[in-house]
Amino acid sequence: MISPNGASGTRVIAVDAMGGDHAPLEILKGAIEANARGVSVVLVGQPRVIAPVLEQLNSRLPIVEAEAAIAMDEPVGLALRRERSSLRVAAGLVSSGDAHAVVSAGNSAAIMGIAYQAWKMLPGIDRPAFGGFLPARTGPVFVLDIGANTTVKPSHLVQFAVMGSVYVQLSQGTENPRLALLSNGTEDSKGTKEVKQANETLRKLDLNFLGNVEGNQVFEGIADVIVCDGFSGNILLKGAEGVVNEIFDMLRTELTKDLMSKVAGAALTPAFTRIKRRVDYEEYGGVPVLGVNEIMINCHGKSHAKAITNAILLADRMAKERLPQRIREALLEDTGDASRRRRLVRALHLSHE
Amino acid sequence: MISPNGASGTRVIAVDAMGGDHAPLEILKGAIEANARGVSVVLVGQPRVIAPVLEQLNSRLPIVEAEAAIAMDEPVGLALRRERSSLRVAAGLVSSGDAHAVVSAGNSAAIMGIAYQAWKMLPGIDRPAFGGFLPARTGPVFVLDIGANTTVKPSHLVQFAVMGSVYVQLSQGTENPRLALLSNGTEDSKGTKEVKQANETLRKLDLNFLGNVEGNQVFEGIADVIVCDGFSGNILLKGAEGVVNEIFDMLRTELTKDLMSKVAGAALTPAFTRIKRRVDYEEYGGVPVLGVNEIMINCHGKSHAKAITNAILLADRMAKERLPQRIREALLEDTGDASRRRRLVRALHLSHE
């Protein structure tokens, strides 16, 4: 039994101390900061690697012993067979009730695979999904799936819509989030046959569904949740990341061209910092694997301490809000209106596909 | 017979004077400027609409009579049945040998439909495709398809690769353009089953094929031609447009916040203008419908005069370079190496799909 070491009550967050490009140093720094902000944390990994760094950082956070992390390029099949990897041991702590959520900046495919293997799917959900936040005019927009499911059935898109809606409600405090399907045109007739059929189904459900949106509209903040297959979601997210990087790169080049540009650029540093901050993934920390029975927060492999701290705070909040249970309730919602419930269950497993 | 009115020899470009959000004024201005730069132009549309504007602009460009443009939201099926629409009449001028290319800022779906209907496909190509340029670190990158083909077979992706390669060679002067497939991971094992099979086939052909690239790499300028289905291509392109708009919007807000920002911002106006120019679609003018037997340049519906001028100059250059014939040659290339030719023909119509 791990005794809680924070102020957050009895919840404990298991942190994969070995996963990520900057593990263990940045992971430990992030965990220490989250702990200082009141969250109980347990580190999972090889004591001989973690302990010296922890000592350097003057911290006594508890360590649960595991073997090395799953490598970033390790095939998932292989990774799932390693019973003592830091990620697997961390997931096991949640299964045994010793922890209440896992945070990892490790191999994303393995993170999803282990979440599924250890905890199984929520009833009514066929596949786990990853989401990600994109910065839009009005604030962050949640896009899912962004890579777990390269191809999808219409019913998967409907399931993503329900899960995304609950997650944005809990994590952003948005009441009744506006949902939209990502497509190559706003008309209901636009998109792949999966998008068209999901559109038709979502129109019949009691969700705040706006219809189809195009890539540019995502950034106008037209919706709070953007639903798509993992292939196009990944392209949207990575493409946006690429554009942001290139524009800031051009700005850097332009602002060092001559003395006047340098002076003007220096005066604008706070403005650029504010903009950069709005488009910075580290602010969001990480995103959960949606659809499984417990909470697993996946951080960018490149995460530094700030992202890890934010991910741990998020994990703690999602554990407090009981994210998986809330998704389950949304799926099985019994408002006394049996026909609505039947409609939703049918929509989640469309028979005609 | 239309007598050439420019210095470009006997080539004539037919301009749909009625199509686009800013028709006819901006279209005519753009056509007049292209003509002043030496390109023979004929305007196609309703004389009673065009003539007064032309007179205002002190121009005597020839007009070929047609009826109204196809509306931007007119269903393609309906549009294709209208035999006297400005676009249809313009395409007819090319069919009859009176003109050598068409430029239109009208309804994109109709532009593609009419190009196909009037001119038919090149042998070896199954479907027309639209491409578009994205600004990358090293210069423009050509992405196709960007909306014409929502779903594709692997053989279509291979055909897009061949067409994109020829087009970038002719329009950008890039020798042996670097080709890549857009995917959700760089490994050959990543992507939809169509992407995976196209990857396998492209690896066997004598093309400068790099493999799969992710959304962010597109903007790093890792390749000259990005091949994808029209659904993801559209999302990549529109998403990038959205990000650029939002960042410039944030900059505008930040740079008018206080006096110092205003002064610094004013000093940086030339820098911002240079950046904006690099990401401005008007610079590219338009893009051809690839895969048909003649040249049709499609401009953004929002095009102003500059884009129209650039599109007409492009149309003239493509007519001079004989774009469709060059694609046909690439498809049927007979280097004396019969096995290479058989390999290409097989790849373009993969039997196992």
Side-chain angles (χ1 to χ4, degrees):
Chain A
M1 184 64 200
I2 298 148
S3 39
N5 47 34
S8 60
T10 53
R11 291 187 305 278
V12 175
I13 310 304
V15 176
D16 172 5
M18 313 292 289
D21 299 348
H22 305 296
L25 182 62
E26 292 291 320
I27 312 292
L28 299 191
K29 279 186 184 169
I32 292 166
E33 173 62 22
N35 182 246
R37 297 207 209 163
V39 179
S40 292
V41 173
V42 53
L43 302 168
V44 184
Q46 292 171 293
R48 66 174 175 80
V49 174
I50 302 173
V53 185
L54 211 51
E55 203 177 311
Q56 261 175 26
L57 297 169
N58 283 318
S59 166
R60 296 174 175 228
L61 284 179
I63 301 174
V64 168
E65 189 174 349
E67 286 167 15
I70 292 162
M72 291 311 251
D73 54 357
E74 194 166 332
V76 180
L78 211 67
L80 293 184
R81 284 198 295 275
R82 284 181 40 201
E83 301 206 346
R84 300 289 307 157
S85 70
S86 52
L87 191 55
R88 179 78 170 270
V89 171
L93 290 176
V94 174
S95 301
S96 64
D98 289 311
H100 303 85
V102 174
V103 169
S104 176
N107 178 327
S108 296
I111 285 175
M112 180 155 292
I114 285 175
Y116 171 73
Q117 188 185 50
W119 303 332
K120 301 291 175 284
M121 300 309 296
L122 283 163
I125 302 291
D126 297 322
R127 295 194 193 179
F130 266 137
F133 281 103
L134 278 175
R137 192 176 301 168
T138 49
V141 172
F142 190 62
V143 180
L144 85 165
D145 182 45
I146 58 163
N149 305 282
T150 307
T151 51
V152 296
K153 291 183 186 172
S155 57
H156 299 148
L157 293 171
V158 175
Q159 293 167 17
F160 297 167
V162 173
M163 295 196 291
S165 183
V166 172
Y167 178 62
V168 164
Q169 208 168 329
L170 295 183
S171 65
Q172 308 293 305
T174 313
E175 277 306 313
N176 206 14
R178 297 161 302 160
L179 280 169
L181 276 166
L182 184 62
S183 191
N184 59 337
T186 52
E187 306 88 339
D188 285 358
S189 62
K190 282 291 176 80
T192 59
K193 69 176 194 303
E194 289 79 16
V195 168
K196 282 186 249 184
Q197 197 177 324
N199 181 305
E200 199 181 305
T201 306
L202 286 166
R203 290 230 174 267
K204 291 179 199 151
L205 299 177
D206 295 328
L207 289 164
N208 191 358
F209 176 60
L210 309 177
N212 293 351
V213 293
E214 297 185 77
N216 51 330
Q217 297 178 300
V218 172
F219 300 94
E220 291 168 11
I222 205 169
D224 303 302
V225 180
I226 305 289
V227 174
C228 53
D229 65 84
F231 188 81
S232 10
N234 187 279
I235 282 161
L236 180 73
L237 202 86
K238 297 249 178 81
E241 191 184 307
V243 174
V244 169
N245 286 344
E246 290 316 310
I247 292 186
F248 276 90
D249 204 65
M250 288 187 220
L251 279 173
R252 250 189 308 276
T253 309
E254 290 288 349
L255 296 186
T256 50
K257 246 185 184 155
D258 50 48
L259 185 64
M260 192 166 103
S261 298
K262 277 185 197 166
V263 172
L268 291 173
T269 304
F272 291 136
T273 307
R274 276 193 298 272
I275 292 178
K276 190 79 184 161
R277 204 187 152 116
R278 277 185 58 185
V279 298
D280 179 10
Y281 69 87
E282 299 239 2
E283 293 293 325
Y284 303 113
V287 288
V289 177
L290 291 171
V292 292
N293 278 302
E294 303 289 349
I295 298 163
M296 168 81 81
I297 305 287
N298 175 28
C299 305
H300 203 299
K302 293 186 181 122
S303 292
H304 286 93
K306 185 171 87 174
I308 301 297
T309 300
N310 285 337
I312 296 171
L313 296 174
L314 175 69
D316 184 60
R317 214 161 68 242
M318 290 305 106
K320 185 180 168 204
E321 298 280 0
R322 304 177 307 118
L323 172 65
Q325 288 83 342
R326 293 289 289 274
I327 292 176
R328 188 197 293 239
E329 283 161 26
L331 293 170
L332 301 175
E333 190 162 300
D334 194 348
T335 52
D337 176 353
S339 78
R340 180 179 170 229
R341 187 179 162 177
R342 268 199 310 275
R343 206 157 61 225
L344 184 62
V345 168
R346 233 185 359 250
L348 292 167
H349 295 277
L350 300 169
S351 52
H352 50 309
E353 58 182 22
Chain B
M1 184 66 200
I2 298 148
S3 38
N5 46 35
S8 61
T10 53
R11 293 187 304 280
V12 175
I13 310 304
V15 176
D16 172 6
M18 313 292 288
D21 299 348
H22 305 297
L25 181 62
E26 293 291 321
I27 312 292
L28 298 190
K29 280 187 185 169
I32 291 167
E33 172 62 21
N35 183 246
R37 296 205 209 165
V39 179
S40 292
V41 173
V42 53
L43 302 168
V44 184
Q46 291 171 294
R48 65 173 176 79
V49 176
I50 302 174
V53 185
L54 211 52
E55 201 177 312
Q56 261 175 25
L57 298 169
N58 283 319
S59 166
R60 294 172 177 229
L61 284 179
I63 302 174
V64 168
E65 189 173 350
E67 286 167 14
I70 292 161
M72 292 312 251
D73 55 356
E74 194 167 330
V76 181
L78 211 66
L80 293 184
R81 284 198 294 275
R82 284 182 39 200
E83 301 206 347
R84 299 290 307 157
S85 70
S86 52
L87 191 57
R88 180 77 171 269
V89 171
L93 289 176
V94 174
S95 301
S96 63
D98 290 312
H100 302 84
V102 173
V103 169
S104 176
N107 177 328
S108 296
I111 285 175
M112 180 154 293
I114 284 175
Y116 170 73
Q117 187 184 52
W119 303 332
K120 300 294 177 276
M121 300 308 296
L122 282 164
I125 302 291
D126 297 323
R127 296 193 192 178
F130 265 137
F133 282 103
L134 279 175
R137 193 177 301 168
T138 50
V141 171
F142 190 62
V143 181
L144 85 165
D145 184 44
I146 58 164
N149 305 282
T150 307
T151 51
V152 295
K153 291 183 187 173
S155 58
H156 298 149
L157 293 172
V158 175
Q159 293 166 18
F160 297 168
V162 174
M163 295 196 291
S165 185
V166 172
Y167 178 62
V168 164
Q169 209 169 327
L170 295 183
S171 66
Q172 308 293 304
T174 313
E175 276 306 313
N176 206 13
R178 297 162 302 161
L179 279 169
L181 276 166
L182 184 63
S183 191
N184 59 336
T186 53
E187 306 90 338
D188 286 356
S189 61
K190 282 292 177 78
T192 59
K193 70 176 193 301
E194 289 79 16
V195 167
K196 281 186 248 185
Q197 197 177 323
N199 181 306
E200 201 182 305
T201 306
L202 286 166
R203 290 228 174 267
K204 291 179 198 153
L205 299 178
D206 296 327
L207 290 164
N208 191 359
F209 177 60
L210 309 177
N212 293 349
V213 294
E214 298 185 77
N216 51 331
Q217 297 178 300
V218 171
F219 300 94
E220 292 168 8
I222 204 169
D224 304 302
V225 180
I226 304 289
V227 174
C228 53
D229 65 85
F231 188 80
S232 6
N234 186 280
I235 283 161
L236 180 73
L237 202 87
K238 297 249 178 80
E241 190 185 309
V243 174
V244 169
N245 287 343
E246 290 317 310
I247 291 187
F248 277 91
D249 205 66
M250 286 187 220
L251 278 173
R252 249 190 308 277
T253 310
E254 289 288 349
L255 297 186
T256 49
K257 245 181 185 159
D258 49 47
L259 186 63
M260 192 166 100
S261 299
K262 278 184 196 167
V263 172
L268 290 174
T269 304
F272 291 136
T273 306
R274 277 194 297 273
I275 293 178
K276 190 80 183 162
R277 202 186 153 117
R278 278 185 57 185
V279 298
D280 180 9
Y281 70 87
E282 299 239 0
E283 293 293 325
Y284 303 112
V287 288
V289 177
L290 290 171
V292 292
N293 278 302
E294 303 289 350
I295 298 162
M296 169 80 82
I297 305 287
N298 175 27
C299 305
H300 203 299
K302 293 185 183 126
S303 292
H304 286 94
K306 183 171 89 173
I308 300 297
T309 300
N310 285 336
I312 295 171
L313 296 174
L314 175 69
D316 183 60
R317 214 161 69 243
M318 290 305 105
K320 185 179 166 204
E321 298 279 0
R322 304 178 308 119
L323 172 66
Q325 288 83 341
R326 294 288 290 275
I327 292 175
R328 188 197 293 238
E329 283 159 27
L331 293 171
L332 301 175
E333 189 162 304
D334 193 348
T335 53
D337 177 352
S339 76
R340 185 185 164 222
R341 187 177 163 180
R342 270 199 308 276
R343 208 156 62 226
L344 184 60
V345 168
R346 231 183 2 249
L348 291 168
H349 295 277
L350 298 169
S351 53
H352 49 309
E353 57 181 25

